Amino acid sequence: MPVASLMRKALTGAGLALAVAACQSNSGTETDAAAGAAPAGVASPLTAGTWRGVLATQGQQIPFLFDVATDGGQPTLTLRNGEERLKLDEITTAGDSTTIRLGVFDAALVLRSAGEGQLTGAWVKYDADKPYRVPLTARKATADTELFAAGPQPAPVFGDLKEGALFRTEFREADGKTYPAVGSFKQDAAHPSRVIGTFLTTTGDYRYLSGNLVKQADGSEHILLSTFDGSHGYLFDGKLSQPGNINRISGDFYSGLTGHETWTATLDPTVQLPDANALTGMKPGQKKLAFSFPSVEGSGSISPSDAKYRGKVVVVQLLGSWCPNCMDETNFLAPWYAENKQRGVEIIGLGYERATYAPEAAKERLRKMKQRLNVGYDLAYAGEGKAAAASASLPQLTKVLAFPTTIFLDKKGEVRKIHSGFSGPGTGQYYEQEKADFNKTIDQLLAE
C-alpha cells in the first residue's frame, strides 16, 4: 500500500499520510484556482511537453514525470509511473495559479510559474484531518529524462536483474514492527541505469515503481525508486551491500511528511507470500454475511438478501475511494462486470471512507469514483475507512486486514472464499495470476 492495508501503523498513522489519508474535503478554501475555469486572458503556466516534478519532504526529493498536452482544446496532465499513465483533465486557472485535481482522490497539484520552463507550488492533500501541502517544483524535461541523476560512473548490468529478479524483503517500521514483502525488479537492458518494479505485501502492493541504478562518487551503488499517483508519493533508496552484487540490498522508505521505514532485501527466486485467501475467515458457525448499508445512489439500501442477488454468485468488494490498490481492483472489476453480469454474477461494492467525512460527503466521494471508473455494479456506503470499523460492520468475519478485501458468495448466499488485498497491474505476473484466480473462482461457483 501498501495502501491496501489498514492494520499496520505505517499505513494508518500520520507517518504515511501520503499513502492513505482521506477525510473531509476543504478544497474550496485552499485556492481560488479550484473555483472555476480561467478568466479570459489568464494563461496557465503549464506548457506542452514533458516535465520533471520533485516533491520535497523529510529532507528527501521524490521525483516524478508528467506530460502536458491538450485534448479537444482543453489542457491535460498525465502522470507517468513506469508503464502507467494517469490522465488528469480537471484543470482550472485563476490568477497566477493552476489547480490540477488528482483523479478520484481528494487532492490536487497547485502550480505557478517560476520562470520560463519552471514551476513551483504544492501537492495539496485536502482529505487529511487537517489539509496540508507538500512543496513541489518542476522543470521542463524530455521524454528521455531520468528520474534520478546518473552518477559519475556508468551503471553496471546485472544478469539476474536484467531478466527480472525476486527479493525476500522485510520492512521495519519506526516502532520496530516488521512485515514481509516480495521485491520484484527488472533492469532495462537498453538503458542499464533504469529499473522498474514493485514491492508486494500480504495486503497489496506499492504499485508502479521506477527509477535508476546509480553509482555514487564513493563507489557505492544504489537502486533509487519513486512513484506519485495523486494519493501517495514514495521514495525507496536501496544500497547494494557490495558494489557489483545485488544479492543483498538495504535502505530506506520515505512517504509523506514524517513516514519512514527501513528495509532489507535478499535475492531469492523462490520467495512467496502467505496465502491471501487464508488471512481472513468466517467466525465459527457463520456461513453468510448479514448487512444492509445505504446506497450511494438515492435513498435505498443494499443487502445481499435483496431479491436482485438471490440465486446468483455475488462478489462483495470492500474498498475506499482513497485507496489506490482499491482503484486497481475496481479498474479490473468494472469492465469485468460489464462483460459477465449476464452470466448470473453480481458485485456489491462496500465503500469505507475517512472518519471526518460526513455520510453525504462520503457518498459523494464514492459517486465520483463510480462515475470516473465507469462502475456499473451497486455501491454502498458502509462506514469509516479503518480495518477495525470494517470488521465491526461485518461481524461474521474474523477480522478485516486489508482494503481491498474481496468476498465470494455462492448461489445460496454462503461465503466460499475471502481474498485479502489485490496485486495490481504494477506487479506483472502476479496481476495476471490474480485475474486468473478470480475467474477460476467465479467459474467454479457458477458451475455449482
Side-chain angles (χ1 to χ4, degrees):
M1 119 111 189
V3 297
S5 172
L6 287 185
M7 287 298 288
R8 297 199 303 269
K9 176 181 177 182
L11 295 186
T12 55
L16 294 186
L18 298 193
V20 297
C23 307
Q24 177 64 45
S25 171
N26 296 302
S27 55
T29 62
E30 279 292 334
T31 172
D32 291 338
V42 175
S44 168
L46 297 175
T47 57
T50 298
W51 294 74
R52 180 180 181 272
V54 175
L55 299 169
T57 179
Q58 299 185 66
Q60 306 295 319
Q61 294 187 338
I62 303 178
F64 63 99
L65 298 175
F66 61 92
D67 298 317
V68 175
T70 57
D71 185 354
Q74 299 299 316
T76 64
L77 186 149
T78 300
L79 298 174
R80 295 167 52 184
N81 293 302
E83 297 177 354
E84 181 181 51
R85 300 294 183 267
L86 296 172
K87 185 176 180 180
L88 308 171
D89 55 12
E90 294 182 77
I91 301 177
T92 54
T93 297
D96 64 350
S97 298
T98 291
T99 297
I100 302 100
R101 300 302 302 226
L102 294 168
V104 300
F105 307 118
D106 200 5
L109 300 179
V110 181
L111 302 173
R112 299 175 179 84
S113 174
E116 185 175 356
Q118 299 182 63
L119 300 170
T120 186
W123 169 32
V124 186
K125 291 288 288 181
Y126 300 122
D127 52 12
D129 291 335
K130 293 183 179 180
Y132 62 84
R133 295 168 174 259
V134 176
L136 180 153
T137 57
R139 289 179 177 272
K140 206 67 176 290
T142 70
D144 294 325
T145 296
E146 304 292 352
L147 280 168
F148 298 90
Q153 303 178 48
V157 178
F158 298 101
D160 289 333
L161 202 58
K162 178 181 175 182
E163 299 301 323
L166 299 179
F167 295 82
R168 184 179 300 276
T169 306
E170 180 180 83
F171 283 88
R172 182 174 296 276
E173 302 170 4
D175 59 6
K177 294 180 180 179
T178 62
Y179 60 93
V182 172
S184 176
F185 303 105
K186 187 174 184 179
Q187 186 176 17
D188 188 331
H191 303 86
S193 73
R194 296 179 185 174
V195 179
I196 60 172
T198 194
F199 289 100
L200 299 91
T201 77
T202 55
T203 57
D205 66 272
Y206 285 107
R207 306 193 73 253
Y208 293 90
L209 304 178
S210 57
N212 298 93
L213 180 62
V214 175
K215 193 162 188 175
Q216 309 283 18
D218 63 2
S220 64
E221 293 168 355
H222 291 246
I223 294 180
L224 298 170
L225 301 164
S226 65
T227 191
F228 176 66
D229 61 14
S231 179
H232 60 248
Y234 290 154
L235 170 65
F236 296 86
D237 180 353
K239 179 181 178 181
L240 278 60
S241 60
Q242 298 179 11
N245 188 326
I246 62 167
N247 287 341
R248 185 175 174 84
I249 306 170
S250 59
D252 298 275
F253 166 34
Y254 299 95
S255 176
L257 301 177
T258 60
H260 175 249
E261 299 174 3
T262 58
W263 56 279
T264 301
T266 303
L267 186 66
D268 183 353
T270 67
V271 63
Q272 294 182 354
L273 287 170
D275 184 2
N277 299 318
L279 300 176
T280 296
M282 298 292 285
K283 290 179 179 176
Q286 299 293 332
K287 293 184 178 181
K288 296 184 177 183
L289 296 178
F291 64 78
S292 180
F293 296 121
S295 171
V296 301
E297 306 285 357
S299 58
S301 61
I302 296 174
S303 169
S305 63
D306 292 343
K308 176 178 181 177
Y309 309 113
R310 292 175 193 162
K312 295 182 179 180
V313 172
V314 178
V315 176
V316 179
Q317 177 196 22
L318 279 56
L319 73 151
S321 69
W322 43 267
C323 165
N325 282 160
C326 300
M327 299 305 98
D328 283 342
E329 183 182 51
T330 303
N331 277 324
F332 163 65
L333 288 178
W336 185 94
Y337 176 72
E339 295 173 4
N340 290 274
K341 60 184 177 181
Q342 76 282 356
R343 299 172 63 195
V345 183
E346 292 293 340
I347 300 177
I348 300 173
L350 300 183
Y352 292 86
E353 295 299 293
R354 290 309 187 199
T356 50
Y357 278 124
E360 286 306 313
K363 290 182 183 180
E364 179 58 32
R365 296 302 313 166
L366 291 166
R367 280 194 294 270
K368 180 177 181 179
M369 182 205 77
K370 195 173 191 290
Q371 179 182 18
R372 289 190 67 91
L373 300 185
N374 296 314
V375 176
Y377 51 84
D378 293 336
L379 199 59
Y381 169 56
E384 183 181 354
K386 292 184 178 180
S391 298
S393 73
L394 300 171
Q396 299 82 24
L397 302 180
T398 54
K399 56 187 173 181
V400 174
L401 286 174
F403 289 100
T405 289
T406 311
I407 306 170
F408 297 82
L409 314 184
D410 64 18
K411 296 174 183 178
K412 295 182 292 185
E414 296 184 357
V415 174
R416 298 290 295 275
K417 180 178 177 180
I418 303 174
H419 184 85
S420 298
F422 185 78
S423 297
T427 67
Q429 62 178 336
Y430 297 95
Y431 176 55
E432 297 304 318
Q433 186 62 51
E434 186 90 42
K435 294 187 294 183
D437 289 346
F438 179 92
N439 282 303
K440 181 179 179 181
T441 300
I442 295 295
D443 290 343
Q444 289 174 341
L445 294 177
L446 286 173
E448 294 179 352

